[in-house]
């Protein structure tokens, strides 16, 4: 948030650095990240003419809900309810809520908000379920194909409201991650850049779009985004995440 407000903002805001730094919103921006809820607030005339106009870092809005999931894990753990059966029940309930929301007015703010959040909860629960079932989960071509077909069916526009695509998608992710042929499971074992990629990719993509006026071909856009995101993610892990994680054992 500090880098975005005081490095990216002065360099790229259409107001110019001097006028930009005179805006009160600039100095409030980093503090809005603390409760996580308003982490996607705009900055004065930054990315104002992009395809996603005024969106500084759209990825950050999910952090509150991710944090809420971690709190939920802690609560279930302390209540001795953190087990496969409870998670399976939560998946069923979340799916039913997702289906029920589909039949409510979509223009209602609460319904719209829940429709965005419920799939994230289901994805989180799916990951938890696979964690508890890890000793019995088998990754075979047959099951991978079945999961792929199931994902294609449930992610279709007409059925996506059920959010059931999260379960086969979770299976596919783990199948690829732990494949002995691809050997992807060793990636990130020393330097876990996944979180850094998540929090930096959006703002870097916005920067590239503004600097090129959105004229780059799709493939080149992706290439440059990856090229500049990976070093930022690496530095994020080495300089911030890894040192902070040492507190876990204290």
């Amino acid at each position: 948030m500090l880098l975005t407000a005081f490095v990216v903002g002065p360099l790229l805001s259409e107001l110019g650095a001097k006028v930009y730094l005179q805006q009160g919103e600039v100095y409030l921006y980093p503090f809005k990240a603390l409760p996580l809820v308003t982490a996607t607030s705009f900055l004065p005339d930054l990315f104002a003419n992009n395809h996603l106009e005024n969106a500084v870092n759209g990825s950050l809005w999910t952090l509150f809900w991710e944090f809420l999931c971690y709190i939920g894990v802690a609560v279930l753990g302390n209540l001795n309810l953190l087990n496969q059966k409870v998670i399976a029940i939560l998946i069923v309930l979340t799916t039913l809520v997702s289906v029920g929301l589909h039949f409510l007015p979509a223009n209602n703010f609460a319904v719209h908000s829940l429709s965005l959040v419920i799939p994230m909860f289901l994805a989180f629960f799916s990951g938890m379920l696979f964690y508890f079932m890890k000793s019995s989960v088998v990754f075979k071509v047959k099951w991978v194909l079945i999961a792929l077909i199931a994902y294609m069916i449930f992610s279709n526009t007409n059925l996506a409201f059920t959010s059931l695509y999260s379960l086969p998608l979770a299976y596919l992710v783990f199948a690829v991650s732990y494949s002995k042929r691809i050997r992807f499971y060793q990636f990130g074992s020393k330097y876990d850049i996944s979180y850094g990629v998540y929090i930096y990719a959006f703002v870097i993509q916005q920067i590239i779009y503004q600097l090129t006026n959105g004229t780059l071909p799709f493939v080149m856009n992706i290439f440059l985004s990856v090229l500049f995101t990976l070093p930022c993610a690496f530095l994020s892990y080495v300089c911030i995440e890894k040192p902070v994680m040492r507190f876990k054992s204290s």
Side-chain angles (χ1 to χ4, degrees):
M1 301 293 284
L2 289 168
L3 285 170
T4 306
F6 298 108
V7 177
V8 178
L11 290 173
L12 294 179
S13 172
E14 295 185 11
L15 293 176
K18 184 178 180 180
V19 177
Y20 170 84
L21 291 172
Q22 292 174 350
Q23 309 302 309
E25 184 68 29
V26 174
Y27 301 93
L28 290 174
Y29 182 78
F31 293 101
K32 289 185 176 181
L34 296 178
L36 299 176
V37 183
T38 55
T40 55
S41 301
F42 78 100
L43 284 167
D45 275 350
L46 183 61
F47 309 136
N49 295 312
N50 279 19
H51 179 69
L52 294 174
E53 57 185 29
N54 298 315
V56 178
N57 195 338
S59 299
L60 301 185
W61 79 274
T62 64
L63 294 183
F64 171 78
W65 302 102
E66 181 182 347
F67 181 72
L68 199 62
C69 285
Y70 296 145
I71 296 297
V73 170
V75 171
L76 290 175
N78 280 282
L79 294 175
N80 293 318
L81 293 174
L82 196 59
N83 55 62
Q84 181 176 324
K85 182 178 179 180
V86 170
I87 300 306
I89 292 173
L90 287 174
I91 287 176
V92 172
L93 292 176
T94 306
T95 302
L96 291 176
V97 171
S98 179
V99 173
L101 288 172
H102 180 68
F103 297 98
L104 297 176
N107 58 352
N108 182 283
F109 178 76
V111 173
H112 176 71
S113 300
L114 284 172
S115 298
L116 294 175
V117 171
I118 289 297
M120 291 193 291
F121 282 138
L122 191 54
F124 192 88
F125 296 151
S126 299
M128 293 177 70
L129 182 65
F130 274 85
Y131 173 81
F132 286 114
M133 296 175 60
K134 60 185 176 183
S135 60
S136 57
V137 176
V138 178
F139 299 115
K140 291 186 176 180
V141 175
K142 177 179 70 174
W143 295 113
V144 169
L145 290 175
I146 291 174
L148 181 60
I149 292 171
Y151 172 72
M152 293 173 66
I153 292 173
F154 286 112
S155 63
N156 181 277
T157 305
N158 296 322
L159 289 174
F161 68 90
T162 63
S163 298
L164 278 173
Y165 57 83
S166 293
L167 284 168
L169 179 59
Y171 182 88
L172 291 170
V173 168
F174 286 116
V176 172
S177 300
Y178 291 99
S179 169
K180 292 182 179 179
R181 293 182 181 179
I182 302 175
R183 295 189 177 277
F184 195 70
Y185 51 85
Q186 294 179 340
F187 181 80
S189 58
K190 188 175 181 180
Y191 299 104
D192 185 1
I193 63 172
S194 59
Y195 192 70
V197 169
Y198 178 71
I199 62 174
Y200 281 102
F202 192 102
V203 67
I204 287 175
Q205 288 171 324
Q206 287 287 71
I207 291 171
I208 292 172
Y209 190 96
Q210 177 165 321
L211 292 177
T212 62
N213 293 316
T215 58
L216 286 181
F218 176 76
V219 174
M220 180 57 68
N221 205 320
I222 294 297
F223 173 76
L224 289 177
S225 298
V226 172
L227 183 67
F228 290 109
T229 299
L230 292 182
C232 292
F234 175 79
L235 290 173
S236 177
Y237 176 78
V238 173
C239 301
I240 300 175
E241 296 158 42
K242 188 176 180 179
V244 168
M245 285 192 289
R246 291 173 187 158
F247 290 104
K248 286 200 301 182
S249 58
S250 60

